[in-house]
Structures are given as structure tokens and as C-alpha cells.
Amino acid sequence: MRWILVLALLGCALVARADFDYGLQPRQIADGVWLLEGSTDNFAQNNGGNIVNSGFIVTAQGVLVIDSGPSKRYGEALRRAIATVTDKPVLTLWLTHHHPDHVLGNQAFADVPIAALAATTALLAEQGEAMAENMYRLVGDWMRGTEVVLPTQTLSPGLLDVAGRRLRLLGLRGHTGADLAILDETSGVLFAGDLLFYQRALTTPGTPGLDVWLRDLEQLQALPWKQIVPGHGPVASSAAPFTQMRDYLGWLDSVMREGAAQGAEMSELIGVAIPPRFAAVSLSRYELIRSVSHLYPRYEQAQMERVDR
Amino acid sequence: MDGRSLLLLALLAWPCTGWSVEGDPVTSVMWNYHHARLLDGAPFVFDEQVRVLLPPFAEDARQVPILVDASAYRGQVVRILAWAELNPIAQIFDFAPGAEVLPRLAIRIRIEQATPIRAAVLTRDGIWHVGSSYIDAAGGGCTAPSVVRAEAGWEERLGQVLGKRFALADSSRLRVQIAHPMDNGLVGGIPEFYLNQAELRDGNGKVLATLELFPSVSENPTLSLEVQGEGETELWLRDNNGNEFKAAL
């Protein structure tokens, strides 16, 4: 009897030991530019949703933060991480888009202006609660206390001077319908948000279409960048992420276009072979299943015609 | 280990075994209930040859694609029943394919939570062959607000059918999507209004297959059937308000 109690107590102790530490380590990737790189895994209890890249730029007067992460805890950890590398105050938080892994740390930045594209704010107001709820389901207690905080300022595409640092803002649409990309002209670092995934399968809920996304990529690639920070995956200083994205989007498009032309069912398409060249791309099967759900109905309808009489 | 420890262990283990049935490929507390209610407690076997193809998780709980394929029993199938075990409205369809129609059906459904999905195939020898699968979900698909009703002019499009016939090796696949809100009565203030009957007929009006639908089927139902031969077919549909619709394929 006693050993069962001991085991039970041990079990409780193990659960209580998890201290929900994201272990955020800011890494300097250019002068004044810092990155917090997440894993390329899916949301899970063991990563607390830290699957995302966030970053910050230290200017002469203070810190510009880009994306707040998946939870209140992450946002707070991000604040502490920033304080380990600079004494300067946080000036503002910019959000690249409204997805939960990029915006649910907003509570930790409630004392500064939070800015996003107007359409991003609208999407977050519409979908935020449901997305947060789903995050609780996926990563559990890491989310404790997390609530949706809407942006307080609106960003417009164009050139912006933040404390003497010139930033170029692009308002694009390919990933969610409202995607902000930020080029720091001083360092040449491009924060591409989730318009770029690298070594991690791209996600498609809310995309206006893969063709739109491909056009956005052209525009991004043409910028005078020196380094690319994708929304998910490792930083790159070559065009490799663009090449992979284009290849992957093209493959996804052809799978669904050819599937629809042959009358394939969704349940069949989610099992198609994934080309070996995408073997290094994390979560490709999982995201194929999601993308077929998001996008295949459009491809199907394009094949069909009115047959009622 | 003394008696009390054994009892405690047994109690700890009990919720895991619960009501599940031996040989069941999915863990379910509802099998006995549905077996009694839908199959009248008739003889059955869990059978992997009845394939229930679906994604491992529901990305959109309002439109979950399922494909039931009992081609292994081609020529012997009398009826196919499908249900989502933990849905508030469990039943999905009751399909009776005639000789020219394959015992295979693809459709999209709503699910309210993670659930086992079953397809029970009655063969001529009186045995139900039960195929099983399981889908994970955030849920809420059955009680989500209607998408169709939020679209202006949906009443004018009621019963419009988009479709196409695809030639396969030795049959034709008929894929259709019917504009209909498929109200299931679970969304506040909107009573049940759904397509509940369908028949596939040949050019002379002979019935090739009958299909009863339940309001766990998604809005704007997407259906896919396979029929032998090249002959023209007609899909006849009726909803529970008596509206009839026809499509030629």
C-alpha cells in the first residue's frame, strides 16, 4: 500500500516540477537585431507553443519588438530576455499577423503601444478567442492566464523611422490575408513573418490562395535583404527559404489541382506521397492534411459545374 | 501486494477499460449503445476490410471528409450505416447500393468532439461488418453558427447542384455538392431543415441506389458515389420540408 502512495506522490512532484520555463535565449544576428528562435515542431505540451521566431531591434532610444509569442508566459519571458541584453525601454510591439503563436504574449506588452495592420486587428478580434481556446487544448497549462489583447495602433505599409532606424513595412496577404513583413534597412534583416517558412511546412488557414502567396514571395525576394528571419525555421542569408517555399507551394498547388481534375476525395489526397526533396521539411504530412481541408474545396469547385435541372 | 493494494490498482485501471468491447479497434464507451439501437443487436464482426478513411484530426469540425469503402464485399452488400459515435446526432447515412453501384461513399460531416467513426456493412448472410476509425478534434462542429445562412441570397441557391462525372478504370465517380444549409436543430432558433432522402436513378428512372441522410452531414453536402457503366444517371434529393431537387450526371 505504502509504495503506491510513494509512487503517487512522486507523480505529483514530477508534474509540479515543470516550471513552464521557455528558456528564451536572445541571439544577436546583426547590429542591434536579436532573434528568439523557436522549434520547427507542432504546438505541444512539451514546448509550450514555442515554435515561433520572434525578435527585437534595439534602437538609440528603445526597443522595437516583433511578435509576442504564443502565451502570456512567453510574453513575460520575452520581456525578461530583452532586459538581459539592453537597459533601454521597450518602445512598441509590432505584430506580423494575427495567428496565436505570434500574438498571445501581448498581455506582457500592455504598457506600450501594440501595432499591426488594420486587417490584422480585425482578424484577431474575430478569431482570437477561438484560437486562444484551441491553444489551451494543445499546450495546456503553459497558457494559464493568457487572454487576447488587441493592437492599439495601426501600421501602414511604407517607410517608417523608429528612433532613427529606417524600417520598410510591406502589407501583404499570402499567408492570412493580412501579413506584415519588416525590412530593417540599417542591417538588411528581413522579418518575413509567416510569409516564409523554412524547413517547416507552411500553414494555410486563411490564405487567400497559393497564387497570391507566390506573388508576395516575389515581392519579398526582390527587397535588398541580407538576412532573412522566417516566421518558423532557421535564419538564412541566402535565397534558400524562397526557393523552398516556391517549390513547396507549387507542389501543394499541383497535388490539389491534379487531384480535383481526377475526382480525388479529400480522404485520398491527404495520403499522397510527399516528395523526398521535402524530407527535411518538418510536419509536411500534418500540414498537408490541414491544407487539403482549407483549400481543396476551392479546387473541387473549379472543376465542377451546375448539373441541377 | 496485499488485498487493499490490488483493489486500489483495480480501481485505478477501471476507467481505462470501462465499457469497451473486446476486439474493438477503437476505444469506445458507446459501442454497445449504438449496436443495440442502430443494428438491433444483430450479429457483427469488427472488420478491417470495411475501410473508413478520414484524417487523424478534424481541421474544420464543420467539414470533416469521410470515405467509407466496402469494395471488399462488392456484390454482397445490402446496406451501409455510418455514424459518429460521440456526436449529439450520431447517424450520418444509411446507404443501400444496388447491383450497379459500388459499396463506397464519400461525404463530409460535422463532429462535436473527438469521436470514433463507424461504418457497418450488412452483407447478404445477415452479418454486420463494422469498420472503425477515430478522429481527434477541437470540436464544436455541430453547434457552430450556420455558414450558409450568413451568405446573402442563400435561399435562391437552395438545391443548386455542382457536380462532375469522372471516368475511372471500370466505373464512373459521381461527385456533387448540393447547396443546402442542413440545419440540424442544434443552433439556437433554427429548426431542423436538411436533406434526408436521395436516390440515384438511371436514364429510365430505375433506382440504382437509395441514401438516407442525417443532419450530422455538413452544410452544402459533398457526396461522391461510384457507378458502373457509361449510362446517364440522375440524382434525386428531398429535404425534410418536402423540397425536391434533381441533378443529371
Side-chain angles (χ1 to χ4, degrees), chain A residues 247-291:
Chain A
D247 190 9
Y248 200 88
L249 281 168
W251 169 71
L252 201 52
D253 179 64
S254 70
V255 163
M256 289 189 276
R257 200 159 16 82
E258 287 162 22
Q262 290 159 14
E265 313 294 353
M266 272 190 180
S267 311
E268 295 168 335
L269 269 194
I270 61 177
V272 300
I274 289 169
R277 65 184 188 276
F278 299 132
V281 177
S282 169
L283 292 168
S284 49
R285 173 69 60 195
Y286 175 75
E287 294 300 345
L288 173 66
I289 293 170
R290 297 184 70 209
S291 293

Side-chain angles (χ1 to χ4, degrees), chain B:
Chain B
M1 204 187 301
D2 61 17
R4 279 181 308 170
S5 307
L6 277 175
L7 183 65
L8 185 58
L9 270 183
L11 278 172
L12 284 171
W14 180 68
C16 307
T17 52
W19 305 94
S20 61
V21 178
E22 204 178 328
D24 190 348
V26 297
T27 307
S28 175
V29 294
M30 295 293 283
W31 167 255
N32 288 332
Y33 174 78
H34 291 300
H35 177 227
R37 195 176 65 104
L38 298 176
L39 308 185
D40 290 328
F44 74 94
V45 286
F46 292 118
D47 189 341
E48 286 178 3
Q49 295 206 76
V50 175
R51 298 200 306 149
V52 182
L53 278 179
L54 41 87
F57 58 90
E59 177 61 16
D60 180 353
R62 297 164 308 177
Q63 294 278 351
V64 176
I66 70 166
L67 169 59
V68 174
D69 188 354
S71 300
Y73 292 100
R74 196 170 172 174
Q76 303 169 55
V77 174
V78 181
R79 268 170 85 193
I80 306 178
L81 299 189
W83 67 91
E85 212 126 278
L86 299 181
N87 252 13
I89 298 164
Q91 273 186 281
I92 301 165
F93 62 76
D94 183 344
F95 178 41
E100 295 92 346
V101 176
L102 271 65
R104 172 207 168 277
L105 184 74
I107 197 164
R108 283 173 209 161
I109 65 167
R110 295 177 265 213
I111 57 170
E112 189 62 10
Q113 64 178 88
T115 178
I117 307 277
R118 308 276 195 186
V121 175
L122 179 65
T123 46
R124 294 197 197 287
D125 55 6
I127 306 282
W128 287 97
H129 300 260
V130 180
S132 309
S133 196
Y134 183 85
I135 185 158
D136 192 13
C142 300
T143 47
S146 170
V147 174
V148 168
R149 283 177 180 274
E151 292 166 354
W154 68 268
E155 296 95 333
E156 280 75 55
R157 290 191 293 277
L158 187 73
Q160 287 185 0
V161 184
L162 291 175
K164 188 166 178 175
R165 184 179 185 126
F166 298 90
L168 303 181
D170 57 351
S171 63
S172 293
R173 182 174 289 186
L174 312 178
R175 304 194 78 220
V176 292
Q177 189 181 85
I178 308 117
H180 204 286
M182 296 298 282
D183 299 309
N184 58 11
L186 299 179
V187 180
I190 304 172
E192 284 185 337
F193 177 46
Y194 62 96
L195 293 164
N196 59 349
Q197 279 181 287
E199 284 180 3
L200 187 69
R201 300 166 176 167
D202 71 10
N204 302 316
K206 185 187 133 198
V207 175
L208 303 175
T210 64
L211 178 64
E212 185 179 359
L213 296 171
F214 296 85
S216 52
V217 173
S218 303
E219 294 178 75
N220 294 336
T222 305
L223 275 176
S224 169
L225 297 161
E226 273 179 36
V227 62
Q228 284 177 321
E230 310 287 313
E232 185 170 321
T233 58
E234 179 187 75
L235 182 69
W236 169 87
L237 300 138
R238 186 161 69 189
D239 67 27
N240 66 335
N241 282 19
N243 300 307
E244 292 186 40
F245 313 106
K246 283 179 183 172
L249 285 152

